[in-house]
Amino acid sequence: MHRLRTTFARLRPLTAAQTAQRLSRGLRTFQPTRCPNESVAAEPFLNGTSSNYMEEMYYTWLENPRNVHKSWDIFFRNANAGALPGAAYQSPPPLSRTSQGIASVQALAGGQVNVEKLVEDHLAVQSLIRAYQVRGHHIAKLDPLDISCVDFDDAPCAVGFQNVGFYGLAESDLDKVFRLPTTTFIGGNESVLPLREIIRRLEAAYCQHIGVEFMFINDVEQCQWIRQKFETPGVMQFSLEEKRTLLGRMIRSTRFEHFLLHDEFTIVGHNCFTQNVFFGVQGSGDVKYHLGMYHKRINRVSDRYITMSLMANPSHLEAVDPVVQGKTKAEQFYCGDTEGKRVMSILLHGDAAFAGQGIVYETFHLSDLPSYTTHGTIHVVVNNQIGFTTDPRMARSSPYPTDVARVVNAPIFHVNADDPEAVTYVCKVAAEWRNTFHKDVVVDLVCYRRNGHNEMDEPMFTQPLMYKRIKKQKGVLQKFVEKLIAEEVVTTQEYEEEVARYDKICEEAYTRSKDEKILHIKHWLDSPWPGFFTLDGQPRSMSCPSTGISEDELLRIGNVAASVPVQDFTIHGGLSRILKGRANMVSQRVCDWALGEYMAFGSLLKDGIHVRLSGQDVERGKFSGDFTHFFSADLLHSHRHHVLHDQNVDKRICIPMNHISPDQAPYTVCNSSLSEYGVLGFELGFAMASPNALVLWEAQFGDFHNTAQCIIDQFISSGQAKWVRQNGIVLLLPHGMEGMGPEHSSARPERFLQMCNDDPDVFPLIVFTPKSLLRHPEAKSSFDDMLPGTHFKRVIPEDGPAAASPDKVRRVIFCTGKIYYELTRERKNRGMDDTVAIVRIEQLSPFPFDLMKAETDRYLNADLVWCQEEHKNQGYYDYIKPRLRTTITNTRTIWYAGRESAAAPATGNKQTHLTELQRLLDTAFDLKAFSGKP
């Protein structure tokens, strides 16, 4: 087959005019690449060089070999078997030898026929059918305003494919009868149709108020499914009851909007007070249309309860997409819905944002990944053909705003939103598609925006012609009512009575709302956590209990971390050394970072707490050689190795963490796509579903979190203040100045500290994780620090000689992170262990005022210095300085030791890095250094 594809590539492409000319002469003009001695006369169906038609025939043959002439079938079979294209063609047995075949052809044509011409005409009809399936959406009547063709100067509004002459057919062929191929369902129960009727049915299926894009899908079964849904005659017929139900729903939606608009000032005036206090808690609040909702109601068709959750979302368009997907995945996970049959997601988009925001692409690319799939999402694009004031021709380079969906083979159903029946049918098909194939699908509602972008916008400034037409346009409800009245589905009186009935419902509900004195928080939560904040009806304490575990548990988890708990599993030789090293640490009762992580995760899993770790390369861990020239040999190993791979069996893996205890919670560790924005948003949504889980996202380097800054700013930092949304997401951000350049050094802690409000109940947690410390010989903890009764240490005080004689200490250096190990080494080299105390702050926010006061009061005769490896205008200094000043007496000063201010986070030159490091260490230990202002 590779030879055949090469032949396609070598055939000279034809212009549209040449292709039309050659196609009009039929198959006799085709000829693949051939040897010089081959007879042209021997290949009546392969004479010419039309690569376009040849490739068309090839894909038709791939769908079903019976759809092409026998000569093509033989040619493609031989080519697949490896024959050269020139030798692949074999003349089929003459049709005269098959009396039954001749009789069939003659009967179809009404007597004596030119068999070759008949075959050519049938192939032409087949190409015509396929052309409608591929390109029919280009001439569908999708725009309610009938102006979309002028949105692009060269828009394909009249592509000409419906001209039968293009296919070598003539007007005289319109009344001829043709046998239908298996790739169409326009015949219904009929196998043959006149050409005129074939075209009429194709026009009805593909060129009216629904445009279907699906022929790019590379799955034959899925294409056939879609063809059947849209081509079968009478498939879009609605019963009288269905039409009346549809009218009732349109009345509700339209009249509710009318009610809000006409009573706007009254409603806003009544709610202006409650909007400011709707959380009933401390917080900023948000505009009403950003708020979420969680609601249970009866589905009157299935008579079962259905839970609907509307996610709170910011004005940052499409940012909520991956969050919805993550929450959907979590709900599926917790209820054991492995196929997406109980929980699903629906995403509503705007046309300009769907085409313009890259997060849409990132979210689509999660759709079929094993640890991220939600088994199909229905995307509904409200395509009002304008982005605030920007025309589509200025807002995108593609014909449709939905073209991004093609990358994942999602079918796209464009529909004229002024046709309620077409919209209903398309949405029904979209739901059936998702239920059948568990893949994404897009519904493009082509509509218009009757008013401006908001209450103050005047669209006539920038779209005068469009809005002149809109002002003349009847509303969709009015048009639909007139249609139903003409069809005698309803009477005018019945319609007016239904409108009056619903208007009364709105008025009565508004009257009752005036008696509401309290607006409950739970009405605006998209992900409530029942029972988490209360115990027996009383507020639950948010204090942290002891996190220590028994020695037996530490040994059990440590032994699992150092083993391969699966029989006949061959691991890499280098990994054997790593596991042996872990076993040695367990025997010595110490943990490095990787083993300590194992202990934390394993103990939670044993207690039934689900742990999910996601991010780029998290299964093996980072720093496996991307920057080998910066690392010593013992650092070239990845530190985590939570997923082991059998060296002899493809795709056979072992996750030791899932072998800790028979009744443990599952551990999920998954390498993500190379995305920060989309994946962090997804994990945020996953963490939102339940407080009884530890969900972590790890950046490849802490520096890279800034491509997900929108999620951090709009959801993580402010989500609780804006929307009372709780979340337990944990961010692991590798951070440290190690001479690795400005893009691989800083997780920008200053940004996170700026976003904190120092509230002790703030969630989530940001953890700045190590890089070189992953295997630093001193960066280890004893089992004694993890036994029952132990807690997380917000501050780690000096425990050396300086602590024994605090009156002799001349300087206290406060620090956090990796710089501690540089300081202790330098202190030892200078012989200052008894005169300089080093105190580590492990929890920066909320700031540990109480513990810091105890440490400063302990060393009353010492200078106080804050030391950091980051530049002065970065890192922690601006956050720490005012809080330390609040902690100490007015007579003492906080001095700074660290790098000077800079625009970039770090140098990329190793020697410069070492020079800067030594300079800040000299400053930190020069007891005469600080004589001026701090």
Side-chain angles (χ1 to χ4, degrees):
M1 203 62 250
H2 293 296
R3 278 199 195 115
L4 184 59
R5 293 182 183 277
T6 303
T7 300
F8 288 160
R10 289 174 179 171
L11 291 175
R12 181 172 58 87
L14 304 179
T15 66
Q18 289 172 321
T19 301
Q21 182 181 15
R22 295 194 177 192
L23 284 175
S24 68
R25 295 202 301 269
L27 291 176
R28 288 168 296 181
T29 60
F30 276 111
Q31 167 181 312
T33 303
R34 63 177 69 252
C35 298
N37 59 351
E38 290 179 334
S39 170
V40 175
E43 299 179 0
F45 290 98
L46 301 175
N47 199 351
T49 57
S50 178
S51 61
N52 290 337
Y53 190 83
M54 188 174 183
E55 188 166 7
E56 188 85 7
M57 294 299 294
Y58 172 62
Y59 286 118
T60 303
W61 177 81
L62 279 180
E63 291 182 358
N64 190 334
R66 291 184 301 172
N67 292 343
V68 300
H69 187 265
K70 187 65 177 177
S71 62
W72 283 114
D73 182 29
I74 294 172
F75 175 79
F76 291 132
R77 287 181 188 275
N78 290 340
N80 264 344
L84 291 171
Y89 173 72
Q90 296 177 12
S91 180
L95 288 176
S96 58
R97 297 180 184 176
T98 309
S99 57
Q100 184 178 358
I102 289 182
S104 174
V105 172
Q106 289 178 337
L108 188 63
Q112 189 67 31
V113 295
N114 181 329
V115 176
E116 185 176 329
K117 176 64 168 64
L118 183 63
V119 171
E120 292 176 4
D121 288 349
H122 272 78
L123 291 174
V125 169
Q126 181 176 317
S127 296
L128 176 66
I129 292 172
R130 182 177 175 85
Y132 272 96
Q133 294 168 341
V134 173
R135 302 178 61 82
H137 57 88
H138 284 303
I139 59 169
K141 303 174 180 66
L142 300 177
D143 183 8
L145 303 176
D146 198 25
I147 59 175
S148 60
C149 289
V150 300
D151 283 347
F152 295 90
D153 293 336
D154 57 349
C157 296
V159 292
F161 64 78
Q162 67 273 41
N163 182 356
V164 294
F166 187 82
Y167 304 92
L169 297 166
E171 292 290 327
S172 59
D173 294 322
L174 289 175
D175 294 318
K176 289 183 180 178
V177 176
F178 293 89
R179 186 172 299 278
L180 299 173
T182 59
T183 54
T184 186
F185 292 85
I186 59 173
N189 296 325
E190 303 171 273
S191 60
V192 297
L193 285 174
L195 179 57
R196 191 186 306 276
E197 181 62 14
I198 289 174
I199 294 174
R200 188 194 69 78
R201 295 190 184 187
L202 289 171
E203 290 277 339
Y206 292 110
C207 305
Q208 299 306 307
H209 287 168
I210 298 174
V212 189
E213 280 191 274
F214 70 102
M215 290 295 284
F216 54 84
I217 297 175
N218 52 23
D219 185 288
V220 175
E221 178 190 359
Q222 293 174 9
C223 288
Q224 284 290 81
W225 188 92
I226 294 174
R227 290 183 183 116
Q228 185 174 24
K229 291 295 180 181
F230 289 97
E231 291 183 358
T232 303
V235 74
M236 216 179 79
Q237 296 296 323
F238 287 83
S239 67
L240 294 180
E241 186 59 33
E242 287 173 331
K243 291 182 178 182
R244 295 175 70 93
T245 300
L246 178 55
L247 175 62
R249 291 176 178 172
M250 291 186 62
I251 289 173
R252 293 181 188 181
S253 60
T254 306
R255 295 305 296 178
F256 181 67
E257 180 183 15
H258 183 270
F259 173 77
L260 293 178
L261 290 174
H262 280 254
D263 294 277
E264 179 180 3
F265 294 105
T266 305
I267 293 174
V268 172
H270 174 63
N271 285 340
C272 63
F273 174 74
T274 58
Q275 180 181 349
N276 292 332
V277 297
F278 77 92
F279 288 131
V281 294
Q282 181 181 3
S284 63
D286 202 350
V287 293
K288 292 186 287 294
Y289 44 85
H290 285 179
L291 303 180
M293 178 274 295
Y294 182 89
H295 182 60
K296 273 189 174 183
R297 61 164 292 173
I298 278 281
N299 184 324
R300 304 197 182 279
V301 176
S302 63
D303 200 32
R304 297 171 62 182
Y305 274 99
I306 182 170
T307 301
M308 295 178 291
S309 180
L310 174 66
M311 304 293 288
N313 62 96
S315 287
H316 295 63
L317 300 175
E318 306 293 340
V320 78
D321 293 356
V323 182
V324 170
Q325 301 298 68
K327 176 175 166 56
T328 303
K329 182 67 174 181
E331 298 289 356
Q332 292 173 348
F333 175 83
Y334 293 125
C335 72
D337 183 14
T338 59
E339 297 181 355
K341 293 183 177 180
R342 298 174 58 188
V343 183
M344 68 171 291
S345 57
I346 300 174
L347 287 175
L348 302 179
H349 310 270
D351 55 322
F354 198 67
Q357 294 293 323
I359 189 58
V360 176
Y361 182 87
E362 291 189 37
T363 304
F364 266 117
H365 267 282
L366 298 177
S367 65
D368 209 25
L369 303 183
S371 296
Y372 302 88
T373 180
T374 58
H375 307 286
T377 295
I378 297 178
H379 301 263
V380 180
V381 179
V382 181
N383 182 358
N384 57 28
Q385 307 181 77
I386 189 173
F388 197 166
T389 68
T390 304
D391 292 333
R393 65 178 181 270
M394 303 297 181
R396 63 179 188 264
S397 298
S398 57
Y400 299 109
T402 53
D403 287 348
V404 64
R406 296 167 66 105
V407 299
V408 293
N409 278 337
I412 304 167
F413 304 145
H414 308 279
V415 58
N416 187 320
D418 262 14
D419 185 342
E421 291 170 289
V423 171
T424 301
Y425 183 74
V426 158
C427 290
K428 178 175 178 289
V429 173
E432 291 176 356
W433 165 273
R434 194 266 174 193
N435 189 54
T436 302
F437 298 106
H438 301 286
K439 298 180 73 68
D440 284 25
V441 57
V442 176
V443 175
D444 178 23
L445 298 176
V446 185
C447 52
Y448 57 91
R449 189 185 66 197
R450 184 165 288 277
N451 301 301
H453 180 76
N454 54 36
E455 295 83 353
M456 298 171 287
D457 180 34
E458 174 49 77
M460 289 288 287
F461 287 146
T462 47
Q463 281 78 31
L465 300 181
M466 180 187 221
Y467 274 85
K468 286 179 181 178
R469 187 165 297 192
I470 289 175
K471 288 181 180 180
K472 299 176 182 178
Q473 187 86 354
K474 291 182 180 179
V476 61
L477 176 60
Q478 182 183 351
K479 292 167 69 173
F480 189 53
V481 168
E482 292 175 356
K483 178 178 180 292
L484 295 191
I485 292 175
E487 294 175 355
E488 299 183 349
V489 175
V490 296
T491 65
T492 302
Q493 181 180 348
E494 288 173 332
Y495 163 68
E496 292 174 348
E497 289 174 352
E498 185 64 26
V499 169
R501 186 180 301 113
Y502 184 73
D503 286 351
K504 183 180 179 182
I505 291 174
C506 292
E507 292 291 347
E508 290 175 348
Y510 174 57
T511 301
R512 289 195 304 272
S513 71
K514 296 179 180 180
D515 297 329
E516 291 288 338
K517 305 302 180 185
I518 300 175
L519 196 56
H520 297 283
I521 296 173
K522 64 181 182 181
H523 294 163
W524 302 98
L525 289 178
D526 51 31
S527 303
W529 288 357
F532 182 73
F533 295 101
T534 58
L535 181 64
D536 299 327
Q538 299 298 319
R540 184 192 294 266
S541 171
M542 290 290 108
S543 60
C544 183
S546 169
T547 56
I549 58 177
S550 69
E551 181 106 6
D552 288 342
E553 283 190 67
L554 290 170
L555 290 172
R556 166 66 179 162
I557 298 169
N559 288 332
V560 171
S563 67
V564 182
V566 175
Q567 296 295 323
D568 301 322
F569 196 96
T570 305
I571 62 174
H572 190 275
L575 187 54
S576 298
R577 294 191 295 272
I578 293 175
L579 297 186
K580 185 178 180 180
R582 288 180 183 173
N584 290 336
M585 283 191 287
V586 172
S587 66
Q588 297 169 16
R589 300 182 68 253
V590 296
C591 292
D592 63 3
W593 180 275
L595 187 55
E597 185 180 70
Y598 236 105
M599 297 297 187
F601 290 3
S603 58
L604 288 172
L605 294 168
K606 188 175 183 299
D607 290 343
I609 304 298
H610 172 55
V611 178
R612 176 183 170 94
L613 173 62
S614 168
Q616 296 158 22
D617 313 300
V618 297
E619 295 180 4
R620 197 176 77 178
K622 310 296 189 300
F623 315 115
S624 57
D626 290 338
F627 297 88
T628 54
H629 56 291
F630 291 123
F631 290 99
S632 59
D634 64 327
L635 290 179
L636 295 184
H637 299 292
S638 302
H639 73 284
R640 185 171 285 128
H641 290 288
H642 282 188
V643 179
L644 311 181
H645 294 259
D646 194 309
Q647 299 297 295
N648 298 325
V649 183
D650 186 33
K651 299 180 181 178
R652 187 186 183 207
I653 64 171
C654 170
I655 303 177
M657 198 87 75
N658 280 323
H659 295 265
I660 291 174
S661 174
D663 56 350
Q664 69 171 79
Y667 174 53
T668 303
V669 55
C670 43
N671 289 341
S672 73
S673 65
L674 201 64
S675 156
E676 288 83 28
Y677 190 173
V679 174
L680 178 55
F682 186 97
E683 300 306 332
L684 179 85
F686 198 104
M688 191 183 301
S690 171
N692 301 312
L694 175 61
V695 181
L696 310 98
W697 174 76
E698 183 176 71
Q700 192 174 61
F701 284 86
D703 314 59
F704 301 161
H705 80 264
N706 58 8
T707 61
Q709 198 68 47
C710 180
I711 297 294
I712 295 168
D713 289 348
Q714 306 312 129
F715 293 87
I716 295 178
S717 170
S718 58
Q720 183 162 348
K722 294 191 297 186
W723 308 320
V724 200
R725 170 188 277 171
Q726 298 85 30
N727 201 292
I729 185 75
V730 174
L731 274 59
L732 303 179
L733 307 178
H735 171 84
M737 306 292 118
E738 295 166 356
M740 296 174 65
E743 276 77 51
H744 302 90
S745 298
S746 177
R748 294 289 191 173
E750 65 275 7
R751 296 179 180 174
F752 292 96
L753 292 172
Q754 183 188 45
M755 290 186 282
C756 292
N757 65 355
D758 273 1
D759 186 330
D761 294 329
V762 163
F763 292 94
L765 185 60
I766 310 298
V767 181
F768 297 102
T769 56
K771 296 188 293 185
S772 62
L773 293 190
L774 292 174
R775 296 184 181 275
H776 195 290
E778 296 179 21
K780 294 180 180 178
S781 297
S782 169
F783 277 18
D784 293 334
D785 296 327
M786 306 176 190
L787 295 176
T790 58
H791 294 76
F792 168 70
K793 295 179 179 179
R794 294 180 292 155
V795 172
I796 302 179
E798 170 67 54
D799 60 357
S805 303
D807 294 340
K808 297 180 181 180
V809 173
R810 297 184 58 189
R811 176 162 294 172
V812 179
I813 300 177
F814 297 103
C815 67
T816 188
K818 178 179 73 71
I819 193 62
Y820 168 78
Y821 296 95
E822 310 283 359
L823 290 169
T824 55
R825 183 185 61 192
E826 187 73 11
R827 180 177 64 176
K828 183 178 181 179
N829 292 340
R830 291 173 181 253
M832 303 176 72
D833 287 346
D834 56 347
T835 56
V836 176
I838 302 176
V839 178
R840 286 177 278 177
I841 305 178
E842 294 294 295
Q843 177 181 292
L844 295 166
S845 177
F847 190 75
F849 287 99
D850 53 339
L851 299 180
M852 290 301 292
K853 180 170 174 50
E855 291 302 309
T856 56
D857 290 349
R858 187 179 183 185
Y859 303 99
L860 292 175
N861 299 325
D863 292 333
L864 304 179
V865 175
W866 171 258
C867 182
Q868 66 179 37
E869 59 179 348
E870 295 82 4
H871 292 281
K872 190 174 184 180
N873 60 325
Q874 300 164 22
Y876 321 94
Y877 180 56
D878 286 339
Y879 176 86
I880 291 291
K881 179 172 63 175
R883 287 161 177 79
L884 275 177
R885 284 180 175 172
T886 300
T887 303
I888 63 178
T889 61
N890 292 333
T891 58
R892 305 183 77 180
T893 300
I894 302 296
W895 304 94
Y896 171 77
R899 287 177 166 87
E900 296 299 318
S901 296
T907 179
N909 182 281
K910 187 69 173 181
Q911 188 57 46
T912 302
H913 162 75
L914 294 175
T915 301
E916 292 175 347
L917 176 61
Q918 189 58 50
R919 186 183 298 127
L920 74 88
L921 292 174
D922 290 342
T923 303
F925 288 99
D926 184 355
L927 300 182
K928 299 179 181 179
F930 302 113
S931 58
K933 293 184 179 181

